[in-house]
Amino acid sequence: MASLLLPVIYIAFVSLGLPDSLLGSAWPVMYTELGAPVVAQSAITTIITASTIVSSLATAPLMRRLGTGKIVAGSVAMTAAAIIGFSASSSLWQLLLLAFPYGLGAGAVDSALNNYVAIHYGERHMSWLHCCWGIGTSVSPVIMGWALAGPLSWHGGYLAVGVIQAVITAVMVFSLPLWRRTGAGSEAGGKMTGGEKAADDGSAAPAGFTYAEVFRMPGAKSAIFSFGCYSAFEYVCGLWSASHLVMARGVAEAQAATMVSLFYMGITVGRLVSGFVSPRVGGRRLIRIGQGVVAAGLALLVFGQGEGALSAALALIGLGCAPIYPSIIALTPERFGEAASQSMVSLQMACAYVGSTFAPPLCALMVAAGGAALVPVLLAAILVVMVLLSERSNVRLASVAGQRALQTN
């Protein structure tokens, strides 16, 4: 049953990715039609990410009461309703109101399934899980670009994605018995063949470590904050790339929305490949390789000329981003122990959403003050901080591992 559950988990992460790239792709048209200032995008995203922080931190107690299956089904349903609501909105205040369920639906899915897969399925499936997220984020800008190029405009783009989310909600609801049967089987014992661990529904998860205890662990602070920097980078790139292309590089609006999909396609393809190579290369090395590729893509975004070079830059940035997120999560049980992993992942998710909350408004202020050409500058600054924190965490964890080895000998 655990092997049948894995495709359901993958589908859930497709649904998690679908909403993430919609707003950035549609905003160059949305704000003019709604008569809103361009910086209003940051108000919407702030509410979404703040709501996601709340639901992420509530994940551990909710898992013990409801189980992973019910959390996922309810969260996807909430997100589907919010997206369909976006499609029918005609004013900024309606979007701001709908941003609350939009964000609440994402946080619990993200935190619960990331830890679940890290413990029960390992690094390879973690990469493929986030490849599924990339499929969702890659499809959405294409749908939005198609809608913007025709009479449907952004309303039609949101409605199309909302219908897809509603279908995925039905899949999650019908899969609830599968989660329960899988949970019962795993409690009886045993591991899956092929190196995969048996799954459970998370309804009887142990208390584990508190957030305060996890935060005091060596290397934890740097690991948590570096994860926040990565999410800030990815969010700013997804939200503001289209505006950068339109306002600073003279790309047409519909074309810019389609070009942003290359960023997410790069993430998707990169995570598919990472799933095959991660057991041999290792998570730490993949993170460093990814950071280097991102730096090369940013350089091309700044100095490249023509739509071909700009498209290649976004694809390259996405390719570099690909292994960073899943590798950090997959390494969490190994670095901090399975007992602490759910609290650690929840803290990482919360910090990720804090980064996603504050980075887009900062970018909006930069755009308002100096123009959209400054977007790559902010992305480069976030990348530098992320690399420094990541390496600091590696040093601290290596030091602790060395001390334990000496004590054992």
Side-chain angles (χ1 to χ4, degrees):
M1 287 300 178
S3 60
L4 294 176
L5 183 59
L6 189 58
V8 174
I9 295 174
Y10 284 160
I11 292 171
F13 248 68
V14 172
S15 77
L16 186 64
L18 282 170
D20 286 358
S21 55
L22 277 176
L23 185 61
S25 300
W27 190 246
V29 175
M30 288 177 67
Y31 84 89
T32 55
E33 182 179 317
L34 296 173
V38 66
V39 296
Q41 183 192 63
S42 64
I44 299 171
T45 57
T46 297
I47 293 174
I48 291 173
T49 50
S51 301
T52 309
I53 292 169
V54 172
S55 59
S56 179
L57 291 174
T59 298
L62 283 174
M63 282 184 64
R64 290 192 288 270
R65 294 182 60 184
L66 300 177
T68 309
K70 291 179 181 178
I71 290 174
V72 172
S75 298
V76 174
M78 189 182 302
T79 306
I83 294 173
I84 293 173
F86 261 57
S87 73
S89 297
S90 58
S91 62
L92 179 61
W93 73 265
Q94 292 173 330
L95 298 179
L96 294 173
L97 186 63
L98 289 165
F100 287 99
Y102 203 117
L104 288 172
V109 175
D110 212 358
S111 181
L113 287 184
N114 269 301
N115 184 64
Y116 188 87
V117 173
I119 290 176
H120 296 292
Y121 292 100
E123 192 169 335
R124 169 171 291 176
H125 286 288
M126 180 64 73
S127 293
W128 290 341
L129 181 74
H130 288 275
C131 176
C132 291
W133 173 88
I135 291 173
T137 56
S138 299
V139 168
S140 290
V142 174
I143 294 174
M144 186 58 72
W146 164 77
L148 293 176
L152 298 176
S153 190
W154 62 271
H155 297 280
Y158 269 103
L159 180 60
V161 174
V163 170
I164 295 173
Q165 284 283 79
V167 172
I168 294 176
T169 299
V171 173
M172 296 299 109
V173 171
F174 284 117
S175 74
L176 288 176
L178 180 62
W179 286 87
R180 289 194 291 270
R181 288 197 297 270
T182 303
S186 66
E187 289 169 2
K191 294 184 178 181
M192 294 172 58
T193 59
E196 298 172 0
K197 299 180 182 179
D200 62 69
D201 69 355
S203 59
F209 285 73
T210 66
Y211 291 137
E213 290 170 336
V214 169
F215 198 70
R216 290 195 295 266
M217 288 182 171
K221 297 182 184 67
S222 297
I224 292 169
F225 293 138
S226 67
F227 193 74
C229 287
Y230 169 78
S231 294
F233 181 96
E234 184 184 284
Y235 215 59
V236 168
C237 192
L239 282 173
W240 283 97
S241 290
S243 297
H244 171 73
L245 293 174
V246 172
M247 300 167 67
R249 307 305 294 268
V251 178
E253 294 164 342
Q255 180 64 18
T258 303
M259 288 169 65
V260 171
S261 69
L262 295 173
F263 167 66
Y264 294 106
M265 287 179 184
I267 292 177
T268 304
V269 172
R271 286 175 179 170
L272 178 64
V273 174
S274 295
F276 290 105
V277 304
S278 57
R280 293 187 294 273
V281 177
R284 290 177 179 82
R285 188 177 298 175
L286 277 175
I287 291 170
R288 289 168 175 154
I289 292 172
Q291 291 166 344
V293 174
V294 168
L298 281 176
L300 184 59
L301 184 64
V302 173
F303 299 109
Q305 299 296 322
E307 291 186 4
L310 296 175
S311 297
L314 289 173
L316 196 59
I317 293 171
L319 191 65
C321 286
I324 299 175
Y325 190 119
S327 294
I328 292 174
I329 296 295
L331 287 170
T332 297
E334 174 189 330
R335 286 172 157 180
F336 301 100
E338 290 188 7
S341 65
Q342 181 60 71
S343 293
M344 183 64 181
V345 169
S346 292
L347 284 174
Q348 287 174 318
M349 292 296 112
C351 188
Y353 297 127
V354 168
S356 301
T357 299
F358 290 103
L362 176 60
C363 189
L365 292 174
M366 291 179 62
V367 169
L374 293 177
V375 171
V377 177
L378 178 60
L379 290 172
I382 296 172
L383 176 63
V384 170
V385 176
M386 173 176 55
V387 171
L388 293 175
L389 287 171
S390 179
E391 293 303 318
R392 177 180 172 81
S393 179
N394 288 335
V395 170
R396 292 295 305 277
L397 289 166
S399 176
V400 171
Q403 291 173 4
R404 288 174 180 170
L406 289 174
Q407 292 172 357
T408 302
N409 294 333

